[in-house]
Amino acid sequence: MAEFDVIIIGAGPGGYVSAIRCAQLGLKTAVVEGRETLGGTCLNVGCIPSKALLHASHALHDAETNFEKMGLMGAKPKVDWAKMLAYKDEVIGQNTKGIEFLFKKNKITWLKGWGSIPEPGKVKVGDEVHAAKNIVIATGSEPLHLPGVTVDEKVIVTSTGALELPKIPKSMVVIGAGVIGLELGSVYARLGSEVTVVEYLDTITPGMDGEVAKTFQRLLKRQGLDFVLGAAVQSAEVKKGKATVSYKLRKDDSAATLEADCVLVATGRGPYTDGLGLAEIGVEMEKRGQIKTDSHWQTNIKGIYAIGDAITGPMLAHKAEDEGMAVAEVIAGKHGHVNYDVIPGVIYTTPEVATVGRTEESLKEEGRAYKVGKFAFMGNGRAKAVFQGDGFVKILADKETDRVLGAHIIGPSAGELIHEICVGMEFGASAEDIALTCHAHPTFSEAVREAALACGDGPIHS
Ligand SMILES: Cc1cc2nc3c(=O)[nH]c(=O)nc-3n(C[C@H](O)[C@H](O)[C@H](O)COP(=O)(O)OP(=O)(O)OC[C@H]3O[C@@H](n4cnc5c(N)ncnc54)[C@H](O)[C@@H]3O)c2cc1C
């Protein structure tokens, strides 16, 4: 029986990052992974492949709409779908092999197969049982299913099927206007599909700053996406390769149907803990199926920890990574910490949407006095030069102290710009601190500075 200081179950961003940090801290580390490749949902069927398709479809859109304006003439590119999928697979391969390389470099053992925990301190993989002083569960999540809608991963697909459709569908219904549905819906809309998004709530991207959500919906509409909001999907049926989605509008209970070549079910994800044997060893669970942990990611059983999508909190790769690093520090007897108040969220559409910290809605609800500094990308020279003047930066700061409480950006490179705010928030920055920091010209970042200026005496370029 092999013995390890730590065995991590699951090699997604939570698990593999945790393993690398454990190894760096001198712990003898193994990772159990049942998939053929490392990297979990994120690298295989999540963040990375979706971003590859987003990038390719944005490039197409740019060529179709902006090239001529810049004097770049020539035939418009045609889509070779098989080649685009091959590009996406190549990107996945490069990334998953990169993790294998890092495992070797850090002397991390990959125990190939599906793991379970027969008793505390033991992990079973296939017929072999391995001993571990500490076990970290990082088994991630799986797509949630909707009653009345049976996924076949051909016509009715989850995000996994949507990343490898045999051909670009003429029409697509996306059920759920969350991040995954909108990212993949916008990919197919750019590739020529007629995309209709059906959402139960009256707004897209629930929980997001309301003003950003409204602007985002308007811009997506302009790109050709249709929206049916406040609609409860009742069923989806496939006949002769075509799907019929039936829904009822919540406001008046009226029923309607939509036909499509493909239906993407993007109604969220739930924790995946199947086959681990957690009930048998008495691991406590949350009501919604996540593993219950304390503030050090330890379960109710000493020496068994859990991180990432399998526990509560935002289902994001970087949240899983941060927990992975922090739990490694805790296991090594150091201080592991994750600041859950400063976890950015990004939607990688064009324009991108990025958000961190408090929304106006939540500040109002709390009754906290705040001020808003806003700046539109229309006033940013760089954004106009690259046809990306849509959107704005909005910074929320405490009315009395000027401390930055949150930021919401819709516009070019929003997913990069947000990190200036994140660093500022980690250091307890005021909006004035950001406003007084010299920002290079011409950059999109100047819009962040202008929004910070708008929290004080006012921006320059509006
Ligand atoms: C289409 C899509 C796009 C996304 N885009 C983004 C994005 O842009 N940014 C972002 O931050 N997040 C994104 N996410 C979410 C992100 O992928 C997850 O939050 C992240 O992967 C969670 O990491 P994790 O380590 O907790 O679990 P996972 O990445 O799910 O990894 C868990 C791993 O554990 C393995 N496993 C499970 N059970 C066992 C077992 N018993 N034995 C052995 N192995 C096991 C699984 O095979 C899997 O490889 C996206 C998700 C999807 C589906």
Side-chain angles (χ1 to χ4, degrees), residues 85-104:
L85 289 181
Y87 148 70
K88 175 220 44 162
D89 290 338
E90 171 76 23
V91 172
I92 295 173
Q94 282 169 2
N95 280 277
T96 56
K97 285 201 185 76
I99 308 300
E100 256 185 75
F101 164 78
L102 291 173
F103 271 23
K104 282 190 190 125

Side-chain angles (χ1 to χ4, degrees), residues 167-213:
K167 59 179 186 185
I168 298 168
K170 283 212 174 78
S171 53
M172 177 182 255
V173 168
V174 178
I175 307 178
V179 177
I180 293 176
L182 295 180
E183 282 188 358
L184 289 173
S186 82
V187 165
Y188 284 101
R190 285 179 193 284
L191 295 177
S193 307
E194 277 173 26
V195 177
T196 308
V197 182
V198 183
E199 165 60 47
Y200 181 80
L201 296 173
D202 296 323
T203 163
I204 68 166
T205 55
M208 181 181 279
D209 177 274
E211 211 179 351
V212 171

Side-chain angles (χ1 to χ4, degrees), residues 396-433:
L396 305 172
D398 187 276
K399 189 149 196 171
E400 292 297 312
T401 65
D402 194 37
R403 187 179 178 141
V404 176
L405 302 172
H408 307 277
I409 307 176
I410 177 163
S413 298
E416 304 294 335
L417 300 183
I418 198 74
H419 295 99
E420 171 177 1
I421 307 280
C422 295
V423 173
M425 285 176 74
E426 281 290 348
F427 281 87
S430 62
E432 190 183 31
D433 289 327

Side-chain angles (χ1 to χ4, degrees), residues 245-268:
V245 176
S246 308
Y247 63 85
K248 274 189 180 170
L249 286 182
R250 289 194 300 124
K251 62 175 182 202
D252 56 11
D253 228 22
S254 60
T257 58
L258 284 166
E259 281 217 336
D261 297 325
C262 179
V263 176
L264 165 59
V265 185
T267 45

Side-chain angles (χ1 to χ4, degrees), residues 328 344 365 429 459:
E365 207 178 297

Side-chain angles (χ1 to χ4, degrees), residues 220-240:
L220 288 174
K221 264 189 176 168
R222 212 168 68 190
Q223 290 170 23
L225 275 85
D226 263 344
F227 290 90
V228 183
L229 301 181
V233 169
Q234 307 293 309
S235 65
E237 279 178 15
V238 181
K239 269 195 199 135
K240 293 187 184 156

Side-chain angles (χ1 to χ4, degrees), residues 9-15 32-35 37 39-42 45-47 50-51 113-116 138-141 159 163 180 183-184 269 272 274-276 307-310 315-318 320 346 348:
I9 308 179
V32 188
E33 175 54 61
R35 251 180 231 274
T37 47
T41 304
C42 173
V45 291
C47 325
S50 59
K51 264 80 258 178
W114 300 99
S116 60
T139 48
S141 59
S159 56
L163 291 167
I180 293 176
E183 282 188 358
L184 289 173
R269 296 177 65 85
Y272 181 77
D274 289 3
L276 288 170
I307 57 169
D309 280 9
M315 286 183 155
L316 293 168
H318 42 283
V346 178
Y348 298 84

